[in-house]
Amino acid sequence: MSIRVSLDKLLADRDMSLTELSGLVGITLANLSILKTGKARAVRFSTLDALCRVLGCQPGDILSFDVESVHSDSGAGTG
Amino acid sequence: MIFDIIFILVAAVFYILVSILVATHVVPAKALNGPHRLGPWTVAIPYLLYVVVALRGALLIVRRLQAVFASFVANEPFARDNATHLRAIWVTLVVIEITRIVAWVFAHALTTVFVSGAAVAVPRGLANPIDLVRLFLIFVVLILAEVFRQGTQLREESDLTV
């Protein structure tokens, strides 16, 4: 998967912990952890909406596409 | 694993012993003609081989089904192992059916060579080479295994959707 999640950087900039974010967005800590560690297979728009509202950012600040990993992956299937 | 080895050894010894006793007429073949009507030794010996394989397969299927039902009780019907269990079940059913067909071929070949003339009693399990009901059952379990495999994938996708 070449989609990168920059949640830890955003949390560090706002001096916020994952537990605090979990309480504010109404998503379980386990699910946020899945998202933060890049294990998530899909993200709902409602989740993205809640994160952007609480963190005061754009979806592009949270998610990015890693071009270099696409070139280095050979024959990687869809996730 | 140890249970498998013991079962195979015991079954092999039993099978070889009975085959020898029947083939050398120490035990008359008609002694095997209880309510199950095994027929002459040319039929009884292949049938016994099929019975041993079928028994072993049945034990394996029961163990796999126990694991599947345990996952249902735990409220996890699409547990990762269930597709594997169901695949093992249909493969076991195929092996049993192939053994049955091989036993049928041997029974008829041996009977043709060694037993001339009269009609020979054949157990129900060896009556027909192709049993459509069994083949249909195998097909149903195969499809069920595929359904569970895809269901497991969908569940994992859902679990990893945030």
Side-chain angles (χ1 to χ4, degrees):
Chain A
M1 180 78 77
S2 303
I3 300 292
R4 299 286 173 253
V5 179
S6 312
L7 207 53
D8 43 1
K9 184 177 177 304
L10 289 166
L11 288 173
D13 290 345
R14 288 151 182 76
D15 196 25
M16 192 188 293
S17 70
L18 204 63
T19 310
E20 286 169 334
L21 182 64
S22 164
L24 289 168
V25 299
I27 297 169
T28 63
L29 192 58
N31 276 351
L32 273 184
S33 182
I34 288 171
L35 181 63
K36 181 170 164 282
T37 54
K39 291 194 178 97
R41 293 271 189 93
V43 181
R44 296 186 184 91
F45 280 141
S46 56
T47 302
L48 212 48
D49 178 86
L51 286 170
C52 290
R53 278 180 201 280
V54 168
L55 295 171
C57 65
Q58 292 292 315
D61 297 329
I62 302 174
L63 304 171
S64 61
F65 179 67
D66 187 352
V67 179
E68 282 182 12
S69 79
V70 172
H71 294 314
S72 64
D73 283 349
S74 54
T78 54
Chain B
M1 185 68 178
I2 293 173
F3 173 78
D4 291 346
I5 294 168
I6 292 171
F7 184 92
I8 289 168
L9 284 173
V10 169
V13 167
F14 168 75
Y15 178 71
I16 290 168
L17 198 62
V18 170
S19 302
I20 291 171
L21 289 175
V22 169
T24 54
H25 306 291
V26 172
V27 172
K30 69 179 179 184
L32 298 173
N33 278 324
H36 300 290
R37 295 180 46 199
L38 290 177
W41 70 268
T42 55
V43 172
I45 289 174
Y47 184 66
L48 282 173
L49 172 66
Y50 160 64
V51 165
V52 165
V53 171
L55 267 174
R56 180 68 190 95
L59 286 171
L60 197 145
I61 288 171
V62 164
R63 267 199 295 178
R64 293 286 185 168
L65 284 175
Q66 274 179 332
V68 170
F69 282 123
S71 75
F72 290 168
V73 167
N75 217 21
E76 295 222 349
F78 291 105
R80 182 162 265 280
D81 289 337
N82 279 353
T84 310
H85 292 318
L86 286 166
R87 188 168 60 238
I89 288 172
W90 79 256
V91 167
T92 304
L93 288 172
V94 167
V95 168
I96 292 172
E97 189 59 14
I98 289 173
T99 306
R100 193 186 70 82
I101 292 170
V102 167
W104 182 90
V105 168
F106 271 105
H108 281 74
L110 289 170
T111 303
T112 304
V113 171
F114 292 106
V115 180
S116 56
V120 161
V122 176
R124 241 195 336 245
L126 290 188
N128 299 306
I130 304 291
D131 188 328
L132 288 178
V133 172
R134 289 173 204 250
L135 290 176
F136 180 72
L137 176 68
I138 290 168
F139 198 56
V140 166
V141 176
L142 193 159
I143 289 180
L144 208 59
E146 182 60 17
V147 166
F148 269 83
R149 189 187 67 80
Q150 298 207 8
T152 302
Q153 272 184 348
L154 286 172
R155 197 210 69 160
E156 285 178 353
E157 286 264 349
S158 170
D159 284 349
L160 292 175
T161 295
V162 177

